[in-house]
Amino acid sequence: MGKKDKKKGAGAAKTAAKTEKKAANKLKKELAAKGEEEVESLLAKRTAEAVEAGLVEEEVAMPSRRSAFSLTPHPDKDQLILFGGEFFNGSKTTVFNDLYFYNIKHNRWTRLTTSQAPPPRSGHQAVAVSQGGGQLWVYGGEFTSPTQSQFHHFKDLWVFHLADKRWQKITAAGGPSPRSGHRMVCARKQLLVFGGFRDNGRAYTYFNDVHVFSLQDYTWTQVKPSGTAPCPRSGCQMGALTEGVVVVSGGYSRRPLKKDVDQGITHTDMFTLTFEKEGWRWQSVKQGGMIPSARSGLALSQPPLGEKVYLFGGVFDQNEDEEELEGQFYNDLYQLDLKKRIWHTVSLAGKKDGGGEKKKRRRKKEGEDGEEEVEEQMERMTVDAECSGEENRAGGAELVNSDGIFTVTVGPAPQTTASVDKKVSEEAFVPSPRMNAGLAVKKGILYLYGGMYEVDDRQLTLGDFYCLDLGKLDEWKTLIPPEDESEMEWIESDDEDSEEESDDEDSEEESDDDDEDEDMDTD
């Protein structure tokens, strides 16, 4: 009996080692065919380039198009901070680690390059706090190789010191495992990290663990709350109330159906994570009001006092069959009351002058007058006085929780409240549908940047920029106009041919492995 068990265990280990070896050999062949280096080498080169560049601060017209980045309000100044993200042109993926500052008053973008910075990433989390002269905290995320053959998930924690303009890597043991798509908020002078996923190209794992990082003594602690926790997921909506209650809603996960076929699950449930005398506790809660349809990839931002959040867009993957998905993209705006757990649709009144700007946009799209197009673009590049927020600003510093997909802000209260659950005026302009955009609130003004959407088989990345006065709620103002779809870079890839060649190689490898096994004596 013991001998049989021993042989069975040895055989299982040998099979696992052989499977891993096959996967590694297959990946090497694929990379060689595509002319791509291993992911560790790619990351090392990007780091070396940053060190060589040193500290460079330059004014730029705008950031490049991207999605899954972080857009975070500066805790003390009238600025927004954009970090990281990714861009895909149909053939190549580019991942960024550039840092931009948007000066709201002057409508000006500045790019800051430093000698030491986090490696390029997307799907990370960022939180800004006022302590220490202002700090931007960044955790996790993922790096995708140019051909999307390799994925590297991070577990590093960085802080950017806003006053000194320098990055610092924090070395603290006991943090979360590598992941992206997680959520991070600031509660009780701690960074709280929940969920996320990890995918190495061969297998994936979703998480529902909770970790907290103390902003006072710089230590990680994994907490194990009582109660029933949400099932593992990534990309959920998460906000924090001032009394230390964290609200988690929705999210996305996958489960295998059969070999090489997965089923996506869009979650619509809601939970609270509350700190009590005995420790943290999970509780499933009911939600009411105008609950959004099932979707993932929403942009989220939490305005002052931490009781309400705004959510824009998102996508729902509709299964055409087991292997084909068609995404339904959205551009509606919702408000969620975190305390009451009630959803509202947000109505926009539209322009009182009958929507003349709307007609300009239609005229530009039709392209009837080239001079009108240039004139209109210049007008949009000038910040509208209504977007400066002068009429709705309140004093005091802000506490910001932001990430690659969702952005959460806690700060001083706005002077007005939203009009909700009413039909949006037909004259009110709304940005186009999208997912993985950046959303941020600064002194009563809601800002929306970038993201991506699909047109047939093309995944188009956006670089447009808008703002909405949460006091007036008339319509979105355009700060950077969208590009015409026909002018967006898109290169058709040869994935289908590569897959066929890969299948042939797999058959040859399996045959070689079988021959190897026949030659090996079973001990």
Side-chain angles (χ1 to χ4, degrees):
M1 190 71 177
K3 188 175 181 181
K4 286 184 180 179
D5 289 345
K6 184 178 179 182
K7 288 186 70 175
K8 182 178 179 180
K14 184 166 35 174
T15 300
K18 186 176 73 173
T19 302
E20 187 67 25
K21 182 180 178 182
K22 272 182 62 178
N25 289 336
K26 179 182 177 182
L27 179 60
K28 284 183 179 180
K29 288 183 179 180
E30 289 177 352
L31 296 180
K34 296 175 180 179
E36 181 175 285
E37 300 177 71
E38 293 188 6
V39 66
E40 290 78 9
S41 178
L42 291 171
L43 286 170
K45 282 189 174 181
R46 293 291 294 271
T47 302
E49 290 171 1
V51 172
E52 186 177 345
L55 177 62
V56 179
E57 192 169 0
E58 56 183 337
E59 186 175 328
V60 296
M62 63 190 76
S64 59
R65 291 186 288 144
R66 64 191 65 201
S67 65
F69 52 94
S70 58
L71 183 66
T72 311
H74 193 292
D76 304 308
K77 298 181 179 180
D78 290 344
Q79 296 180 347
L80 305 179
I81 309 170
L82 187 154
F83 173 72
E86 65 182 22
F87 170 76
F88 178 59
N89 68 356
S91 176
K92 178 183 177 181
T93 297
T94 303
V95 186
F96 306 102
N97 68 338
D98 41 8
L99 185 66
Y100 292 87
F101 290 83
Y102 175 67
N103 186 303
I104 295 173
K105 184 178 180 180
H106 299 291
N107 186 30
R108 182 180 302 155
W109 287 97
T110 301
R111 181 170 58 206
L112 185 68
T113 304
T114 62
S115 58
Q116 182 185 28
R121 65 192 63 205
S122 62
H124 54 277
Q125 294 283 273
V127 169
V129 294
S130 294
Q131 72 176 38
Q135 299 171 340
L136 176 72
W137 291 86
V138 174
Y139 172 75
E142 66 179 271
F143 175 82
T144 305
S145 70
T147 63
Q148 297 187 347
S149 301
Q150 305 175 83
F151 304 92
H152 180 88
H153 291 257
F154 298 100
K155 64 174 182 178
D156 49 355
L157 178 65
W158 292 76
V159 57
F160 183 77
H161 299 279
L162 295 168
D164 300 336
K165 298 180 181 180
R166 64 179 178 87
W167 285 101
Q168 177 187 0
K169 186 176 181 179
I170 305 299
T171 54
S177 59
R179 64 190 64 195
S180 65
H182 49 288
R183 294 290 166 261
M184 183 169 73
V185 296
C186 190
R188 298 176 56 83
K189 297 182 180 180
Q190 297 174 322
L191 303 179
L192 188 146
V193 176
F194 166 75
F197 79 102
R198 184 181 184 183
D199 185 346
N200 62 8
R202 299 186 295 275
Y204 57 82
T205 303
Y206 284 82
F207 305 103
N208 66 344
D209 49 353
V210 179
H211 297 257
V212 294
F213 178 80
S214 171
L215 292 174
Q216 295 178 310
D217 57 19
Y218 284 20
T219 57
W220 279 109
T221 303
Q222 180 176 2
V223 298
K224 297 185 178 180
S226 59
T228 302
C231 63
R233 64 190 65 193
S234 70
C236 62
Q237 294 79 253
M238 191 161 84
L241 290 165
T242 53
E243 57 264 34
V245 178
V246 176
V247 179
V248 173
S249 173
Y252 181 84
S253 61
R254 289 180 292 163
R255 64 183 179 190
L257 283 182
K258 58 183 182 180
K259 185 179 180 181
D260 298 329
V261 178
D262 299 322
Q263 179 186 39
I265 303 170
T266 302
H267 303 282
T268 57
D269 48 6
M270 181 178 287
F271 296 81
T272 57
L273 180 60
T274 308
F275 185 81
E276 301 174 342
K277 291 182 180 179
E278 298 78 17
W280 292 93
R281 179 173 67 90
W282 281 114
Q283 183 178 1
S284 176
V285 295
K286 292 183 179 180
Q287 49 189 317
M290 307 292 288
I291 302 174
S293 59
R295 64 186 73 179
S296 60
L298 301 93
L300 181 150
S301 183
Q302 184 173 348
L305 291 183
E307 293 187 0
K308 297 173 183 176
V309 298
Y310 287 89
L311 303 97
F312 182 87
V315 63
F316 177 72
D317 289 331
Q318 300 171 327
N319 288 68
E320 294 294 311
D321 54 49
E322 287 185 341
E323 300 186 23
E324 294 294 327
L325 295 175
E326 181 178 350
Q328 174 66 52
F329 288 77
Y330 299 94
N331 66 340
D332 42 4
L333 182 63
Y334 283 87
Q335 181 196 80
L336 170 63
D337 188 317
L338 294 175
K339 213 163 194 176
K340 299 178 180 178
R341 270 84 75 179
I342 295 177
W343 294 89
H344 303 277
T345 55
V346 179
S347 66
L348 302 182
K351 294 182 73 68
K352 293 182 180 180
D353 60 7
E357 180 119 26
K358 179 88 171 181
K359 293 177 183 177
K360 280 187 179 181
R361 270 189 289 274
R362 285 199 295 268
R363 186 159 60 245
K364 178 185 176 185
K365 184 176 180 181
E366 293 167 4
E368 294 176 0
D369 190 334
E371 290 184 3
E372 188 77 21
E373 293 176 19
V374 175
E375 209 170 288
E376 182 182 355
Q377 184 171 353
M378 293 302 295
E379 289 175 4
R380 291 178 180 178
M381 290 299 291
T382 302
V383 178
D384 195 302
E386 294 175 349
C387 283
S388 67
E390 294 295 339
E391 297 178 8
N392 296 295
R393 290 184 180 178
E398 292 181 280
L399 176 64
V400 183
N401 307 304
S402 162
D403 67 6
I405 302 176
F406 308 102
T407 306
V408 178
T409 309
V410 181
Q415 301 301 308
T416 55
T417 57
S419 175
V420 295
D421 297 339
K422 295 180 181 180
K423 184 178 179 181
V424 175
S425 167
E426 293 182 1
E427 295 294 339
F429 165 70
V430 178
S432 62
R434 65 194 64 202
M435 66 174 290
N436 290 358
L439 201 66
V441 170
K442 186 66 180 180
K443 294 186 176 178
I445 306 296
L446 181 66
Y447 294 87
L448 173 71
Y449 184 89
M452 64 83 64
Y453 70 106
E454 295 174 354
V455 177
D456 299 324
D457 292 331
R458 296 183 297 160
Q459 298 174 10
L460 300 180
T461 306
L462 300 167
D464 46 356
F465 189 30
Y466 308 92
C467 69
L468 174 67
D469 190 317
L470 295 176
K472 296 180 179 180
L473 286 176
D474 47 3
E475 71 171 0
W476 291 88
K477 307 299 186 298
T478 302
L479 302 177
I480 299 177
E483 293 185 48
D484 190 285
E485 285 181 10
S486 62
E487 298 177 359
M488 290 186 179
E489 179 185 0
W490 185 260
I491 302 172
E492 296 294 342
S493 64
D494 301 324
D495 285 345
E496 292 183 4
D497 295 338
S498 299
E499 286 175 6
E500 290 177 5
E501 292 175 6
S502 178
D503 290 340
D504 293 340
E505 289 176 2
D506 287 347
S507 299
E508 291 177 10
E509 286 183 9
E510 287 175 7
S511 176
D512 292 342
D513 287 333
D514 290 339
D515 293 341
E516 244 181 68
D517 291 342
E518 288 177 6
D519 293 339
M520 292 175 65
D521 185 21
T522 55
D523 298 328

